[in-house]
Structure formats: structure tokens, C-alpha cells
Amino acid sequence: MKPAAGFGRVLVIGLGLIGGSFAKGLRASGLCREVTGFDLDPQTRRLAVELGVVDRCPETLEEACREADLIQLAVPILAMERLLRTLALLELDIERIVLTDVGSAKGSVVRCAAEAFGRNLPRFVPGHPIAGSEQSGVGAANPALFRRHKVILTPQTDTDPGALALVDRAWRVLGADVEHMQVEHHDEVLAATSHLPHLLAFGLVDSLARRHENLEIFRYAAGGFRDFTRIAGSDPVMWHDIFLANRDAVLATLDEFQADLDLLREAMVEKDGHHLLGVFTRARAAREHFGKILAGRAYAEDEYAAALGIRIEPVAALRGEAPVPGDKGIAQSAIVLAALAEGSSEISGFRAAEASLATLQAFRDMGVVIEGPQQGRLIIHGVGLHGLQAPPGPLYLGGSASAMGMLAGLLAAQRFDCMLTGDAALSRQPMGDVVEPLCEMGASISLHDGHAPIRIRGGQALVGIDRSHLQQAAPALLMAGLYASGNTRVSVVARQQGKLLGGFGCPVRIEAGGLALAAGHALVAQRLDIPGDASMALALAVAASLAAGSELTLEAVAMTPALDAGLTLLGRMGANIRLLRRGYVAGVPVASIAVSGAGLRGGDVPPDCLPIIAAELPVLLVAAACASGTSRFSGIGALQGLERLRLRYTLDALLELGIRVVVDEEQLTLEGGALAGRKVAANRDLHVAMALCIAGSHTGGGLQIDECPASVRDFIELAERFGMNIKTEAGL
């Protein structure tokens, strides 16, 4: 009896490593009525049955094909043409049978199939598993060979959807990660990523082996030579077949590589170290990114990890003195401005977060030479305001809405077209509030249903505008204002970025209610040490203020407008806070913050203050929840996008902790008191997670926080230095 939703009878022709592993895996799945095999070698047929790779192996191809529902063609690429002609002569019921294959050159296979059968086959689904092993033959058949490996299917426009779904499911049953791709695109990609490297390895080893000093060359070859040329030990006959089958795509890729090689040679002849450094730094960054993709990670491993669970126990007092990790927002802005500056900027104190690393890669893709990061240090060789080059493809910005906004404003003024993309979370965030005012300046930008990807058409002349009332768009408009004719006026919420612009040599006037910028000022390279993260500092200032007996000092913190306003509010609520060792880093004010435990009482936040502290609202709400008396936050109706989400996440958690909250259209009223609760969720938001950590240290019996982003580990490490008792999920 046929198993439910199974594959019926499956035939695998060619029982080497790939075909044998496919057959053995499907047989083990139990979803097939029968798995039949066929191979020209009698010994292989016998071993396939003895080893349990297939149920049976008929002696003739005609018998093997009888009653087959799915036929997998797993023979060498140049043997495929002969096999397809033979199958055509057998007069198979090709309206019923599904055909598929495993060849690495799809254009050749598709052509051969059409020629053999005299037409395109709607139930032929070409496929290519990107997997292998140093072992070969049916004895090496491994049902787990394809697990977590890519399998690319290349259906054509007339491919039967049912046949495609069947082949797709067969590979997924084996644990493969299945993708669909056009035939031509597949052959171009594989020519670049697989076929060309093998061609170069074979050619290099052969070239060196034919020299008279080859003995010395191979005797003293370092590990790098062995690593690079390892693939030259592959099957010569198989690769001979592949190169002939995918000849056109390999030649096109080889020509492109030859042109790049000529540029490298010219750079060496001309002693052009800048060009060499650009190639080497881009290659290193690309290789590291490639390695992380293979390991299932993103730019920064912590950012891509699963959400954490955190357990916080009550704390008596916080004590100590320590520097705060570098501010991610300032680092991101510094990368952008350094790339646009004249000369080389040196940036220290860089934290390798997803958003910052994605921004680095975006500028590398636009021709900026960037050294590092190494031990928190970057050297960015700026190209000037008009030196960016068209990237080879879309620019990926991870989950950073701020990076996407800044780059949208910057790229709106460039001469080339571009597209900005992000991860799934960023693609859900509305970007209309950023894009619409840029279009009013003259930019040509389109969105997908109000969200990323953002498509930007270059070559547009921008005109300055006054949008000082818009908060979310301010950083983007400030970047566009560098290129716009006339003056650009933006919201005061971009004050930090404005000061950083001033530090790089572009004067930004701070006026009542906004910032004013005139275009035409070149940026000058800087040396700067990224000051401490303002959000972390404010959270720890709240924690220390609430714990009697606390004495802590946070060193070299970026005094952002949000932190400045937040500390002022805490002072009005009774906090004992002093600013020490004030100074400036590239125009950004910095200071050390000393906090003594004092207890807090309720306070009021006026509507003109709320836009400034919006990003820090979660921790200030926790401060109000732990204070005595009533606090009022006015102007909440102006909150946008992510800020509104953070407010909702924080209020949901505070309600779980027993805090009384009343919200109307413009004001939030909160009654402080004892926190009582066992479990809340941070919804993967770092600001909410830090705020709830502070709440947990003042909750009777402690607090479990679920759905924390892995990036909260930096905050946990710093908080533990001052005495907070926090355990991550792994330690629970």
C-alpha cells in the first residue's frame, strides 16, 4: 500500500556518492513504496542492495524504469546526454513520470533533455545538490550527506508545479536547504564560486609542476598553498566534463577575473598600495562574512543568536568604576562620515555589532578602503563627498533602521542607482516617514508597500527643505543636506549627529527647535575614540539611584541629547548625579558620570522633552515605576514607529509587574510602587531588555526576562562589574 503523501516508486540512475546518498536517504525516510537503483557497473548494483542503499537493482535500464514515479539522474555531466537519449528511446510515460538530476551545469542538461525528447519536458525538474565528500562510490553513500546543505532547483517557465513540489519535498526530506533559481543564473553563480576556483587550482599546480625548480617549490610550499590547491586533487575527468558543459559561463567569469588580475598587476607595477590595500581588506571582510554564512551566523554572531532568557535577582547596592562599551550609534555615524571625509580616519573603541559591521560592508561595496576591525580599531580611507562608487548589488544593512535611514539620505544624492535591504525585522518597519521628505527634496526613491527594500535612482538634484518637526527622518535629511542646494533644517533629535558632523569639519548650526546645515563643506578625516554607550550609562544611573548605598562611576560616556535630558529628569526626581572630566570627541561631548544611591520620587516629563528622550523611554518608565508617587509623560502621541513599539513592550511588562498605568492620546500617567511579578518579555529589543534588568533588580524575589536579544550580553557584563546579579539562560 502506498504511504500517505509519499513518493511512490523512486529510481536512481547512477549509484555513486550523490546518487547513492539520495537513494539511501529516501529509503530510510519510509516515504517511498520502493527505491530502485540502476548502474552500468554490476558490482555497484550488487553492493547497493547489500548495503541497503536501494531495495533492488534490475540488470537493465528498461526494467528499472518500469512503473517508476520519480527518476533521479545521477550520472556524470557528459554522460547525461547519452542517458537522456536512451531514456527517450524507451518511450517512457513522460506525462506521468517526474525526471530530475544532480548535474552542476544546468544549461547543458536542459538543452540535452529538450534535444533527446524533441521538446521541453514540463515534468523535468533540473537540480543541483551542493554537497560532497572526499570519499566516493556507493560504499560511501550517506543518507545525511545533504543535511543543511544547499540544493538548487532550476525550473523553467513551463515546469509543472506538482512535479516541482515533489522534487522540492524529496530534497527537504533529506534535510537539504532548497532554493529555486533560473538556469542561466545558476550557471553564472556556480561558474564563479565553484568552477573558476577549480580551474585556477588545476592551472596553478600544473604551471608550477612544469617548472624545472618544481621540487623546491613543492618542498617549501606553505600551508596557504596546500589549502588553495587542495581542490586540484579532485577527479580530473569529472571536471573536464563540467568545464566543457558550462563553458560559456566559465569563460565569462574567467574574463572578468582576468580583468581584475590585470588591475592588480598594474597596481604592483605602479606601486599603488592604496589599490592593493583595498583589494586585500575587501577580500578579508568578504571571506569572514562568507565563513559566518557557512557557520549559520550573521556579521556578528551574538546578534544572530537565538533570544536569551535572563534571570535577575534583587541587588542591595551598586559600586565601582569602569568604562562603558562604545556607543553603537556614534560608531555608525562615524563610519559614514569617515567614509565621506578627505583623508584617513582612525576610529578606536569600535564594537562589532551587526548594524555597524553591515554598514562597514556597505561602504566597502561602494569602494571605500577600510582596515579592521582589529581589537576595536578601524582605519577608514575616506573618498570625499563625491567619491563613492556604484555597489555591485543591493546593500544589506542587517536590522538597523538608523543605518538604512542615513544611507537613504546619503545615496539619494549620488550619481548611481542603488537598493537598500535588511533582515526580516527591518523589512517590516515602515520607512515612509523617512522616504517622503527625501522625495520632497528631489530624491527619486521607491518602497515596497511602504517598507524596505528601498530603491534609489541616482543623478537627482536635491534642494534643501525645513522639516524640523519630523523626528524619524532627521538623520536621513541631515545626510541629504550635505549635497542639497540651499539650507536644510532638521529636527533637534539629530543633535548628536550634527555635532559629529561639526567635528568632521562641516558646521551645523543649532537653532531653537532644529539644526541648520548648508551644503558645500568638505569633511576632514579625524582620529576618535568612540565614547561610552549612552543608553547603557542611563540604565545603570537609574539602577544606582534606586539602590541605597550605591556609589558608581561610568567613565568617558557620550553625553547625547537623550542621555543629557534623561539625567536632568532623574535629577528632578531626586537622583544624586555628578558629571566629571568633561570633554569632546570629534565634536561630541563626553563626561564621566558619578551616581550615588538616593531613591527617586515621581516627576513630570513635558511634551517638548519627550522627542529627545524617546529612545530611552523604557528605562525612564522603569525609574518612574520604582519611584514613589506619580509620574506623567506628556506628548506620547508624537511617538513614531519603533518608539511606539518600545513603549507598548515596556508598558505590557510593567502591567505584569503590578504597576498602575493610565494612557490617553497625549499623556501617560504612572503610579510608582513595589514591583511584583515573576516573568516578562523583552520582545528582542535591547532598550527594553536593559530597562527590565533594572526592574528585575528591584522586584521582590527577582525576575525572569524572556525574549532578550543576545546583544544584551554587553550590558550584563558591565552591570555585573558593579554588583548586579544576572544569569543568562545557559546558566539557569
Side-chain angles (χ1 to χ4, degrees):
M1 183 175 178
K2 182 177 178 179
F7 303 104
R9 285 191 170 89
V10 176
L11 167 63
V12 179
I13 303 174
L15 295 171
L17 172 69
I18 299 297
S21 298
F22 181 85
K24 193 171 185 178
L26 279 187
R27 186 168 185 262
S29 74
L31 294 177
C32 303
R33 182 184 303 154
E34 181 182 59
V35 178
T36 305
F38 180 77
D39 197 281
L40 292 175
D41 180 37
Q43 185 176 359
T44 296
R45 295 200 298 267
R46 177 180 58 80
L47 281 174
V49 177
E50 290 179 359
L51 297 173
V53 174
V54 296
D55 293 303
R56 62 189 181 92
C57 262
E59 294 187 0
T60 68
L61 181 59
E62 183 177 9
E63 183 184 355
C65 291
R66 194 171 299 142
E67 296 185 3
D69 298 301
L70 171 66
I71 299 178
Q72 174 68 275
L73 312 179
V75 300
I77 195 74
L78 286 190
M80 192 71 70
E81 181 177 3
R82 184 169 61 252
L83 173 59
L84 286 165
R85 286 201 303 266
T86 302
L87 290 174
L89 293 174
L90 294 179
E91 298 183 355
L92 302 175
D93 184 2
I94 56 175
E95 303 301 325
R96 179 186 63 83
I97 297 172
V98 175
L99 290 178
T100 186
D101 78 303
V102 297
S104 65
K106 305 320 306 174
S108 172
V109 175
V110 169
R111 286 192 299 272
C112 289
E115 291 170 1
F117 286 88
R119 63 186 178 90
N120 285 338
L121 302 180
R123 293 179 70 78
F124 175 42
V125 183
H128 175 208
I130 305 178
S133 168
E134 294 182 358
Q135 298 175 313
S136 61
V138 71
N142 175 12
L145 181 67
F146 310 107
R147 191 170 300 154
R148 299 184 64 186
H149 282 74
K150 296 284 187 187
V151 170
I152 302 174
L153 302 183
T154 58
Q156 299 187 78
T157 55
D158 60 350
T159 297
D160 178 78
L164 176 60
L166 182 71
V167 176
D168 185 293
R169 183 158 182 256
W171 284 112
R172 292 186 190 276
V173 164
L174 303 182
D177 180 8
V178 183
E179 295 186 7
H180 299 179
M181 190 180 292
Q182 291 183 344
V183 169
E184 295 79 7
H185 185 45
H186 168 276
D187 287 355
E188 291 169 359
V189 169
L190 268 294
T193 59
S194 176
H195 303 168
L196 180 62
H198 279 81
L199 186 69
L200 297 178
F202 281 123
L204 178 61
V205 174
D206 178 60
S207 176
L208 295 179
R210 288 186 288 107
R211 298 184 185 182
H212 69 277
E213 71 275 18
N214 63 70
L215 181 61
E216 285 77 15
I217 288 174
F218 291 113
R219 178 179 294 169
Y220 299 111
F225 178 82
R226 290 193 296 272
D227 291 342
F228 176 73
T229 60
R230 175 186 57 81
I231 55 178
S234 302
D235 183 349
V237 175
M238 177 186 74
W239 281 100
H240 158 272
D241 295 353
I242 289 172
F243 287 129
L244 291 181
N246 201 26
R247 172 178 173 273
D248 292 343
V250 173
L251 283 174
T253 303
L254 184 60
D255 288 344
E256 292 179 2
F257 178 71
Q258 182 65 57
D260 291 337
L261 204 58
D262 289 342
L263 290 175
L264 269 177
R265 188 182 189 284
E266 183 181 349
M268 293 183 67
V269 170
E270 300 297 328
K271 299 181 180 179
D272 185 353
H274 183 77
H275 180 86
L276 294 175
L277 187 61
V279 171
F280 299 161
T281 53
R282 288 194 300 272
R284 176 176 177 173
R287 181 62 182 84
E288 289 176 351
H289 185 205
F290 172 63
K292 288 173 180 176
I293 289 175
L294 289 181
R297 307 197 303 271
Y299 287 103
E301 181 176 5
D302 280 353
E303 299 281 342
Y304 195 73
L308 295 176
I310 292 175
R311 175 75 188 178
I312 301 99
E313 301 297 338
V315 62
L318 302 183
R319 298 180 180 275
E321 183 173 332
V324 179
D327 189 288
K328 293 179 182 178
I330 292 178
Q332 198 162 276
S333 295
I335 291 169
V336 175
L337 299 181
L340 301 176
E342 304 282 352
S344 299
S345 297
E346 183 176 331
I347 300 174
S348 303
F350 174 82
R351 273 198 292 160
E354 167 80 2
S356 299
L357 290 173
T359 304
L360 284 180
Q361 187 59 43
F363 279 101
R364 284 187 169 111
D365 288 344
M366 291 188 286
V368 180
V369 176
I370 302 173
E371 300 178 57
Q374 291 180 329
Q375 297 180 335
R377 180 172 173 267
L378 290 168
I379 298 178
I380 300 178
H381 301 274
V383 297
L385 287 174
H386 302 284
L388 295 177
Q389 301 171 15
L395 299 176
Y396 174 77
L397 298 171
S400 177
S402 59
M404 182 166 280
M406 279 195 294
L407 263 68
L410 169 63
L411 294 171
Q414 303 305 313
R415 63 188 183 279
F416 50 80
D417 297 347
C418 189
M419 183 166 73
L420 302 178
T421 67
D423 63 15
L426 181 54
S427 297
R428 289 193 296 268
Q429 290 193 35
M431 297 300 296
D433 289 342
V434 172
V435 168
E436 287 173 13
L438 288 173
C439 291
E440 290 182 41
M441 295 179 73
S444 178
I445 307 177
S446 62
L447 295 171
H448 176 69
D449 194 25
H451 303 81
I454 299 178
R455 290 178 170 83
I456 304 170
R457 184 178 179 184
Q460 311 302 307
L462 303 186
V463 179
I465 57 173
D466 183 344
R467 292 295 180 270
S468 53
H469 63 288
L470 298 179
Q471 301 169 27
Q472 191 170 339
L477 298 179
L478 205 55
M479 297 307 303
L482 288 170
Y483 300 86
S485 60
N487 292 328
T488 299
R489 201 160 179 268
V490 305
S491 169
V492 74
V493 298
R495 187 185 303 166
Q496 173 184 301
Q497 190 179 7
K499 290 182 176 179
L500 198 57
L501 260 172
F504 274 83
C506 180
V508 177
R509 300 189 309 277
I510 300 178
E511 302 175 347
L515 308 179
L517 166 70
H521 296 278
L523 304 185
V524 181
Q526 297 292 312
R527 295 184 63 179
L528 67 153
D529 190 357
I530 302 297
D533 187 282
S535 297
M536 284 192 196
L538 183 60
L540 289 168
V542 170
S545 297
L546 292 171
S550 292
E551 293 286 346
L552 67 77
T553 302
L554 305 164
E555 299 174 354
V557 177
M559 293 301 298
T560 66
L563 175 59
D564 199 9
L567 294 178
T568 300
L569 177 60
L570 290 178
R572 292 204 300 264
M573 295 173 70
N576 186 357
I577 299 173
R578 294 171 294 136
L579 299 183
L580 313 173
R581 298 183 284 280
R582 292 173 178 256
Y584 289 88
V585 173
V588 176
V590 298
S592 294
I593 303 172
V595 187
S596 301
L600 299 177
R601 57 183 178 273
D604 292 343
V605 178
D608 59 343
C609 181
L610 199 72
I612 301 173
I613 64 167
E616 311 299 347
L617 199 52
V619 74
L620 293 173
L621 287 169
V622 166
C626 296
S628 60
T630 303
S631 296
R632 298 175 184 85
F633 294 78
S634 300
I636 61 170
L639 295 178
Q640 303 170 353
L642 183 58
E643 297 162 353
R644 293 193 70 84
L645 273 179
R646 284 179 175 153
L647 174 63
R648 193 186 81 198
Y649 296 155
T650 308
L651 293 182
D652 286 347
L654 290 179
L655 289 170
E656 288 287 331
L657 295 174
I659 297 300
R660 184 171 177 269
V661 181
V662 177
V663 182
D664 61 28
E665 289 185 3
E666 289 298 328
Q667 181 169 286
L668 181 158
T669 304
L670 186 153
E671 294 291 338
L675 305 183
R678 295 182 178 181
K679 183 185 291 188
V680 291
N683 291 284
R684 294 179 179 256
D685 187 284
L686 177 59
H687 287 74
V688 176
M690 290 191 296
L692 295 180
C693 283
I694 307 308
S697 65
H698 294 277
T699 302
L703 185 66
Q704 170 76 24
I705 308 174
D706 293 334
E707 289 293 305
C708 292
S711 53
V712 79
R713 286 195 179 103
D714 284 341
F715 174 75
I716 292 173
E717 183 179 345
L718 180 64
E720 287 178 328
R721 295 181 65 175
F722 295 115
M724 287 186 69
N725 187 357
I726 307 176
K727 295 179 180 178
T728 60
E729 190 173 44
L732 291 177

